[in-house]
Amino acid sequence: MEETTVVQSIAPQNIVVIHPGSLNVRLGRASDLNPVSELHAIARRRKEGGQMHKDNILPSVIPKTRELTDLLEDVRLQVSHAVQSCLQSDGRRRYATPPQQIAAFNRRSEPTNVEVPNTNNIVGTSKWLKPESDIVIGNDILSLDPSLDFNIHFPYRRGDFNIHSGPGGSVSAVLADLEAIWGHLLSSKLGLPKPQRKQCRAVVVIPDVYNRQYLKELMTLVLSDLGFGGCFLLQDHVAATFGAGLGVACVVDVGDQKTSVSCVEDGISHRNTRIRMEYGGGDITHIFHWLLCKCAFPYKTCDTRNNTDAMLLHRLKEDFCHVNLDVCGSHEKSFAIQKVQTGIQQYTLMLGDECIVAPLSLFYPELFSMTGAKTSITQKRYSGDSEDPFDDHFIRETGRKGAKENLENTGGGDISAVGEIPGGEDDIVVDNLDGGTGTTGAGEFEISPGKLLGLDQAVLQSIERCPSEDMKRKMYNCILVVGGGMKFNGIATYLQNRLHLQVPFAYRSDQTDIVMTPKDTDPQLTAWKGASILSCLESSHELWITPDEWKRIGVKILRERAPFMW
């Protein structure tokens, strides 16, 4: 009887789904058609004599040394030649307009002051916001006068907590920012002030490669500080498969500042197949800007550190970039920018293959060197928690002792025969339930330090780490692309062709399905929608953790309730 009341009592309008990202946070009730999407940022008034700190919308670029400039130029030529050698769909050769001709047109292009621009590409604000409080949240930051003494913080960067040595870079500061942003949006956009949240539950979408300490803090944030009556955590790739209605898929999630890949089967993301690379849509925007500057971008004062200019470049990339190889030669485009001092200025520019080269940086990741050194992150082994004594370490140690005693009693020989590789104290692992191979050495990604994988390479390596041949075959047949960083016309076909050339012969099939807009959903919303669907299923009532249980049992409860291997 009790169970049915629990199931019936949580109506979809009482469930809030929160999907935090490096650029935007998406948040809405499970009954909503679409979530509210806001800039995931907070501006705080600087204390007198306080340190200045401003996180930019775009990732920061590093100074261009001679070596870096040469490398970027070499790779750019390599991509241009690869594009030129392709044929159009009707079999004709592609042609390109000489860069000198494009640059000559752009140098002559002058901005015109207009009242109403004849383009949708308009970004900016006509007047600065005069904040009454010491805090500005979300999209309002774009209208904040840059001369005011505010520090700007993005609590997520590169797909996880934005921890750094500057002001606001500690875990507690990040959590305070999250509480302020989410609390404000819940009250102002969803009409859910703190006293009403007790009757509601929350689902938080977390990264596929997660840090357990951060998840523990998020649970406390949602249940204690934000005041929800229940919560569970769901990995973004698992949520994406629910949103797309797929049981099995290799999920490729390209966000604004990270790209992650993993193989998901029946709601489980296989641990050894997970990888996160520190590049995304924001890095592509930088590359597009660099290519625009090479062909004499007419908006000469464009500064990527300025919020308005960063949003303009982001918009131009989304509207102009594509991977449609049938589009050849140069094309005239226009955009407008609105500034407080100068009003609306409209620009006209000529563009050629720059629109194709920028998105293809996903397959030529050396171009991402302009935004600094990057690492590829895989799921690390649990470092342990004093609140959770019966964790992996405990099971590993007792398992080893038990095996040793068992061998001694039966007169057996070498302990290394029992699931352990000789010479490795830490080689035996207990997560082989999670699709691993029993040892860390065999299943994990081997990435040479400083080497970044391109998108096709990451997909191939991820699928290669699936535990069975049958599963590999299924994964090669269905690749789900989500996130907002890869919304380029034609890129799915390009990825399909790249993979088709490299898939091992044994797994080749007639068709590799690359799903980009499942059920006509915007790929940025697939994971949010999936979390909404899952939270309303009857089986999900077993996942909810209440504030009382969290206080009483703490992090140990995640071992039983989390819908992934804790």
Side-chain angles (χ1 to χ4, degrees):
M1 272 304 290
E2 257 183 23
E3 282 191 3
T4 46
T5 28
V6 172
V7 178
Q8 285 164 358
S9 63
I10 313 170
Q13 60 268 30
N14 290 338
I15 298 171
V16 174
V17 178
I18 304 171
H19 185 188
S22 303
L23 181 64
N24 297 305
V25 57
R26 294 187 175 81
L27 178 141
R29 298 171 192 265
S31 55
D32 295 344
L33 192 60
N34 287 322
V36 169
S37 185
E38 284 271 323
L39 206 60
H40 201 188
I42 182 169
R44 295 180 182 274
R45 201 182 291 277
R46 207 175 308 127
K47 292 192 172 70
E48 215 173 304
Q51 260 183 293
M52 188 176 162
H53 180 85
K54 281 194 176 163
D55 286 330
N56 296 320
I57 284 178
L58 291 175
S60 45
V61 286
I62 58 169
K64 287 195 177 65
T65 58
R66 187 65 189 272
E67 291 88 347
L68 180 58
T69 312
D70 291 348
L71 170 74
L72 293 173
E73 198 47 41
D74 285 352
V75 182
R76 184 190 71 80
L77 286 170
Q78 194 184 335
V79 184
S80 294
H81 291 153
V83 169
Q84 274 316 310
S85 64
C86 294
L87 297 174
Q88 295 179 58
S89 55
D90 58 7
R92 287 184 303 167
R93 287 185 71 88
R94 289 191 83 254
Y95 59 89
T97 307
Q100 301 83 339
Q101 196 177 319
I102 292 175
F105 176 93
N106 290 338
R107 276 194 200 95
R108 290 195 303 272
S109 175
E110 291 293 331
T112 51
N113 283 39
V114 290
E115 285 295 316
V116 182
N118 58 354
T119 173
N120 298 331
N121 283 313
I122 176 163
V123 168
T125 182
S126 57
K127 59 179 191 293
W128 294 127
L129 180 76
K130 295 277 179 277
E132 288 165 19
S133 76
D134 290 345
I135 286 179
V136 178
I137 284 168
N139 296 348
D140 288 345
I141 286 173
L142 299 172
S143 311
L144 193 61
D145 187 342
S147 65
L148 295 176
D149 52 349
F150 274 82
N151 281 355
I152 296 177
H153 303 279
F154 278 81
Y156 272 65
R157 291 271 97 160
R158 298 291 179 201
D160 217 334
F161 280 15
N162 181 16
I163 307 298
H164 56 84
S165 55
S170 64
V171 173
S172 54
V174 167
L175 290 164
D177 288 344
L178 290 175
E179 186 187 348
I181 297 168
W182 297 359
H184 169 79
L185 295 177
L186 287 165
S187 303
S188 64
K189 303 286 183 185
L190 299 190
L192 261 187
K194 195 168 180 180
Q196 288 180 26
R197 292 179 207 150
K198 239 183 186 45
Q199 281 75 55
C200 295
R201 307 284 173 106
V203 179
V204 181
V205 180
I206 58 160
D208 225 53
V209 178
Y210 53 81
N211 176 319
R212 285 178 170 91
Q213 187 56 36
Y214 297 167
L215 300 195
K216 181 182 162 184
E217 303 292 358
L218 280 177
M219 286 295 292
T220 306
L221 169 74
V222 171
L223 294 173
S224 306
D225 306 332
L226 292 173
F228 277 98
C231 173
F232 71 79
L233 306 171
L234 182 65
Q235 287 170 297
D236 49 8
H237 290 194
V238 173
T241 58
F242 272 91
L246 298 170
V248 175
C250 173
V251 181
V252 177
D253 183 352
V254 184
D256 187 68
Q257 297 200 359
K258 67 100 176 68
T259 295
S260 54
V261 181
S262 83
C263 294
V264 179
E265 183 184 37
D266 300 332
I268 295 289
S269 159
H270 286 270
R271 177 188 168 181
N272 287 340
T273 65
R274 296 177 208 155
I275 182 167
R276 180 165 85 225
M277 284 89 67
E278 294 184 319
Y279 59 75
D283 302 86
I284 298 173
T285 305
H286 266 306
I287 290 164
F288 188 48
H289 178 233
W290 172 67
L291 294 167
L292 289 175
C293 292
K294 289 185 82 63
C295 63
F297 189 37
Y299 175 31
K300 295 179 182 66
T301 56
C302 183
D303 180 0
T304 54
R305 291 165 303 183
N306 174 305
N307 284 344
T308 308
D309 290 354
M311 289 311 281
L312 172 78
L313 289 168
H314 183 73
R315 175 79 65 84
L316 296 184
K317 174 199 71 178
E318 287 194 336
D319 290 351
F320 297 161
C321 286
H322 62 88
V323 190
N324 181 352
L325 297 171
D326 287 353
V327 177
C328 306
S330 55
H331 298 268
E332 218 174 279
K333 305 278 185 188
S334 59
F335 65 91
I337 187 156
Q338 182 165 31
K339 295 211 168 167
V340 176
Q341 309 83 355
T342 51
I344 302 176
Q345 291 195 306
Q346 182 157 314
Y347 290 83
T348 303
L349 81 157
M350 184 83 82
L351 283 172
D353 277 353
E354 294 78 15
C355 301
I356 298 181
V357 173
L360 291 187
S361 52
L362 287 165
F363 303 95
Y364 296 86
E366 296 84 0
L367 284 170
F368 295 130
S369 310
M370 68 166 65
T371 48
K374 316 261 185 317
T375 52
S376 297
I377 300 156
T378 54
Q379 189 68 57
K380 299 288 180 284
R381 184 179 282 167
Y382 193 17
S383 57
D385 189 309
S386 55
E387 285 181 29
D388 185 10
F390 301 106
D391 61 9
D392 308 3
H393 297 278
F394 174 83
I395 297 167
R396 188 179 302 112
E397 287 309 313
T398 47
R400 186 179 282 127
K401 280 177 194 146
K404 196 170 186 179
E405 282 162 19
N406 196 19
L407 273 178
E408 280 166 3
N409 294 342
T410 54
D414 186 4
I415 178 70
S416 65
V418 190
E420 182 172 327
I421 298 171
E425 169 61 11
D426 270 314
D427 283 326
I428 185 167
V429 79
V430 291
D431 332 60
N432 48 350
L433 293 168
D434 194 15
T437 50
T439 62
T440 44
E444 288 186 357
F445 271 90
E446 292 145 26
I447 303 153
S448 49
K451 169 116 177 76
L452 262 194
L453 294 173
L455 196 62
D456 49 340
Q457 289 302 312
V459 169
L460 291 161
Q461 286 221 25
S462 178
I463 295 176
E464 212 33 60
R465 278 157 182 71
C466 288
S468 72
E469 305 295 301
D470 183 45
M471 194 175 155
K472 287 179 190 176
R473 195 168 285 106
K474 285 180 190 167
M475 294 300 167
Y476 278 122
N477 281 346
C478 185
I479 291 165
L480 172 64
V481 178
V482 294
M486 194 173 145
K487 287 167 68 177
F488 303 111
N489 177 25
I491 201 159
T493 313
Y494 192 88
L495 174 61
Q496 193 171 23
N497 294 339
R498 292 277 295 213
L499 290 173
H500 191 69
L501 295 170
Q502 301 171 75
V503 170
F505 192 73
Y507 306 123
R508 284 202 182 161
S509 68
D510 300 340
Q511 191 58 43
T512 298
D513 268 342
I514 296 197
V515 184
M516 276 196 82
T517 49
K519 304 175 178 175
D520 294 331
T521 308
D522 180 342
Q524 294 181 87
L525 306 182
T526 311
W528 184 88
K529 284 218 152 88
S532 304
I533 292 164
L534 178 67
S535 67
C536 299
L537 295 179
E538 204 171 299
S539 53
S540 72
H541 76 274
E542 297 165 13
L543 304 173
W544 296 112
I545 295 168
T546 64
D548 177 50
E549 288 172 321
W550 185 249
K551 263 197 200 87
R552 225 164 9 100
I553 307 168
V555 74
K556 294 192 288 291
I557 198 168
L558 288 171
R559 197 169 292 287
E560 292 169 28
R561 300 273 180 88
F564 49 90
M565 294 298 280
W566 175 253

